[in-house]
Amino acid sequence: MPFDEGLAERIRAIVGDEPGMREQKMFGGIAFMLRGNMAAGIIGSELMVRVGPDAYVDALALPHVRPMDVTGRPMRGFVLVGVEGIATRAALRKWLARGLGFAGTLPAK
């Protein structure tokens, strides 16, 4: 399944100037990597966010969020945010900040 290129452009507009940011094809979509660590990505038209294990349960309690599961086994620390949850620039920015915040705590690869 191809990823939503429009969403990718929206993400690039927000994180494109972030030092250490790069893109990588992954999970049949695209991932946005901060210093070699995944921060966020796109699967289909949904935003994948790496919130980390400590913030995982709280993130799942938010509207339009579900566990990240591409293999039949949920990946703890990663969530998928549906289209409704990232409809505005402010909402997308907030989710990207969560992913960048967690990825920023990890050592560079």
Side-chain angles (χ1 to χ4, degrees):
M1 175 205 281
F3 64 90
D4 183 337
E5 186 59 47
L7 177 54
E9 286 300 320
R10 291 175 60 208
I11 293 170
R12 289 179 190 117
I14 294 170
V15 302
D17 293 333
E18 185 78 28
M21 183 65 62
R22 69 178 172 83
E23 296 178 26
Q24 181 175 327
K25 295 212 175 189
M26 190 177 290
F27 300 117
I30 190 167
F32 293 85
M33 313 288 281
L34 179 62
R35 296 183 349 246
N37 295 293
M38 185 187 313
I42 304 171
I43 297 179
S45 60
E46 295 183 299
L47 179 69
M48 172 182 52
V49 182
R50 187 175 188 183
V51 295
D54 293 341
Y56 181 68
V57 172
D58 290 339
L60 286 176
L62 296 170
H64 315 293
V65 178
R66 64 185 176 87
M68 159 78 173
D69 182 355
V70 293
T71 63
R73 224 172 110 184
M75 295 177 64
R76 187 164 176 80
F78 292 81
V79 297
L80 285 175
V81 183
V83 174
E84 300 87 357
I86 53 171
T88 66
R89 182 178 174 87
L92 178 59
R93 182 182 293 276
K94 185 181 264 189
W95 279 108
L96 291 171
R98 288 173 188 252
L100 292 170
F102 179 73
T105 68
L106 302 172
K109 291 183 178 180

